[in-house]
Amino acid sequence: MNQPWLGRLDAARPEGASPLGWRCFQLGLLLLASSALLAGALLLVALILGCHQRLPWWRDRVNQVLLLVSALMVLGCFTASSGWLAWVGLGNWLPFFWAFWGYQPYLASAPARRRVALWLVAGTVPVIVTGLGQLFWGWSGPFQILGGAIIWHLKAGGNPPGRLAGLFDYANIAGAWLALAWPFALAALLQRPQPWLKRLPALLITVGLVAAVALTDSRNAWGALVLALPLVVGPARWIWLLPLLLLLLIPVGLASLPGVPLLLQAPARALVPEAVWARLNDFKFAGERDLASTRLSQWGVAVGLIAERPWFGWGAAAFSVIYPLRTGLWHGHPHNVVIDLALSHGLAAAVMVVALVFWLLIWAARLGIAAAPVFDRAWWASALVLVTLHATDIPMYDSRINIAGWVLLCGLRAYSLNPQPRQQG
């Protein structure tokens, strides 16, 4: 009776991938935004089954780099000033190094990556709906489904107030999720040769996603919309798209940037909504923020801490302990993943992880992913967007975004091992 539905889950399974693992992998990513518990259980099964590969993990030099990073992180825990928190913090990294290898069989082909991307888009619908509900209809949780297996904590009016957060604890984190899903929603809308009537669901989701991103009031997420658009659309359309984007962004820049002559800024601000330019130049916070609450202060203190202990770092979560002692204000992390990595685990570990991520992006680009099928272009764009977001925030500390991020990196590695023929569409 359920065979047709199960048969749909079996579609596009890469050769050599476990049938059960492939089903669990898809369902896990579908449920990821809604329930980290259910998704984690399904993805763990997929990971265990995905480890039965032809080649052992140590034959891939990328895994050798991650093994060395793991050793450095573990060694650093013995001298960490954050004590047991340093060991707990390894959970943000070591399991995902394993997943980076174990998930590759499920992402070994372009049809498989397309299918995974569509599951991520479908899984984003609850984020959009609950976010709109909390802002416009006053929805307030917690809502429980399946006897508490899924619990949605919603705050009426958003978190912070007036900003869409949906299923996430904070608007910026919701913005990061929506930003990584945006390239895939756009790809679903642009894919060919489907008629436009069949693209209607993708159109509705894409419009809802863009509206949700705008309502998060997250500058990072706004920037992600612009960054991903030309990458997904593809170089063939850049001849008209890039000038159009530039034409649209010039008034925003004139309205937002400090130091612009009033003669130019006044008409620009008349054209651009105040909610946009005021947010972009932090006008609403002018004169209200303590210096210690700014990212520049956080980065400065963190760099000083790195200089004090450059080899193995201070241990995970040390920043949240030391920063209040030195500034009088609490922050959970320094809002930059490179700085946070170096501070927590040392410069060597940070350099290797960052170099690996950039190598995956650059190598995929060199292999022609910009001219690959639209969902592979979207895959690269989504990975780049998430990497960029970590320059001024660390959304990976939400486990759901961390999982999605490593799935994206895993897909880039799978692409580099088996690049698809170049084509437009």
Side-chain angles (χ1 to χ4, degrees):
M1 183 176 178
N2 293 326
Q3 190 59 38
W5 187 79
L6 291 175
R8 290 184 179 182
L9 284 177
D10 289 334
R13 178 172 62 89
E15 182 180 357
S18 161
L20 177 60
W22 176 232
R23 293 175 182 177
C24 289
F25 188 65
Q26 295 174 83
L27 291 175
L29 293 176
L30 171 65
L31 295 173
L32 184 55
S34 300
S35 172
L37 176 64
L38 290 180
L42 289 165
L43 291 171
L44 179 59
V45 173
L47 176 56
I48 294 171
L49 296 174
C51 291
H52 301 290
Q53 302 181 31
R54 295 178 182 177
L55 294 177
W57 65 268
W58 59 84
R59 295 287 295 274
D60 189 337
R61 291 185 178 179
V62 172
N63 293 332
Q64 295 174 13
V65 172
L66 294 177
L67 179 62
L68 179 56
V69 172
S70 301
L72 291 172
M73 288 182 169
V74 171
L75 287 173
C77 288
F78 289 101
T79 60
S81 65
S82 56
W84 62 271
L85 289 174
W87 295 97
V88 174
L90 294 179
N92 289 316
W93 297 100
L94 301 193
F96 298 99
F97 295 168
W98 175 30
F100 176 80
W101 173 70
Y103 288 152
Q104 287 184 30
Y106 307 121
L107 300 168
S109 67
R113 291 189 291 273
R114 173 186 178 275
R115 193 167 181 83
V116 167
L118 290 173
W119 284 122
L120 284 171
V121 171
T124 302
V125 172
V127 180
I128 299 171
V129 173
T130 55
L132 296 176
Q134 72 178 169
L135 287 184
F136 296 108
W137 302 297
W139 291 359
S140 179
F143 299 119
Q144 297 189 22
I145 306 173
L146 301 177
I150 298 178
I151 302 177
W152 291 349
H153 297 278
L154 294 180
K155 185 176 180 180
N159 189 29
R163 297 178 59 186
L164 182 146
L167 302 181
F168 293 87
D169 294 332
Y170 194 74
N172 286 350
I173 307 301
W177 179 274
L178 294 167
L180 72 86
W182 154 245
F184 298 135
L186 185 58
L189 186 62
L190 296 177
Q191 65 180 326
R192 294 182 288 183
Q194 289 192 357
W196 276 102
L197 187 60
K198 288 188 176 181
R199 300 188 207 184
L200 183 59
L203 176 61
L204 294 175
I205 293 174
T206 302
V207 171
L209 190 151
V210 172
V213 167
L215 292 170
T216 63
D217 209 22
S218 167
R219 291 166 293 184
N220 282 344
W222 293 354
L225 292 181
V226 179
L227 174 63
L229 180 60
L231 299 175
V232 177
V233 169
R237 298 175 179 87
W238 287 358
I239 191 170
W240 59 265
L241 179 61
L242 294 182
L244 178 61
L245 282 177
L246 183 62
L247 187 64
L248 293 174
L249 290 176
I250 286 176
V252 176
L254 292 175
S256 307
L257 294 175
V260 176
L262 184 61
L263 182 65
L264 297 175
Q265 194 165 71
R269 288 187 172 181
L271 182 63
V272 178
E274 182 178 346
V276 174
W277 63 257
R279 176 61 175 154
L280 289 175
N281 73 358
D282 250 358
F283 175 79
K284 63 178 70 177
F285 297 111
E288 299 178 9
R289 282 188 169 178
D290 191 302
L291 177 63
S293 70
T294 65
R295 279 165 171 68
L296 289 177
S297 173
Q298 295 161 26
W299 295 343
V301 172
V303 169
L305 292 172
I306 293 168
E308 292 179 32
R309 300 183 65 170
W311 302 112
F312 294 105
W314 294 79
F319 181 85
S320 63
V321 176
I322 300 173
Y323 192 74
L325 298 176
R326 302 206 176 180
T327 66
L329 289 178
W330 184 88
H331 280 285
H333 55 72
H335 290 85
N336 177 282
V337 74
V338 180
I339 293 174
D340 188 65
L341 251 176
L343 188 149
S344 300
H345 303 290
L347 280 171
V351 168
M352 282 189 282
V353 171
V354 173
L356 174 59
V357 170
F358 278 101
W359 178 82
L360 289 169
L361 286 166
I362 293 169
W363 192 247
R366 288 190 62 185
L367 291 173
I369 200 168
V374 65
F375 276 97
D376 275 341
R377 299 200 302 266
W379 197 283
W380 194 87
S382 182
L384 179 64
V385 160
L386 198 54
V387 167
T388 304
L389 294 181
H390 280 82
T392 56
D393 203 353
I394 312 183
M396 60 159 276
Y397 282 138
D398 184 290
S399 61
R400 293 165 290 181
I401 291 181
N402 203 5
I403 292 170
W406 281 97
V407 167
L408 292 174
L409 294 177
C410 182
L412 290 181
R413 181 56 177 160
Y415 176 87
S416 69
L417 293 172
N418 184 29
Q420 304 300 306
R422 298 190 178 197
Q423 67 179 68
Q424 300 295 328

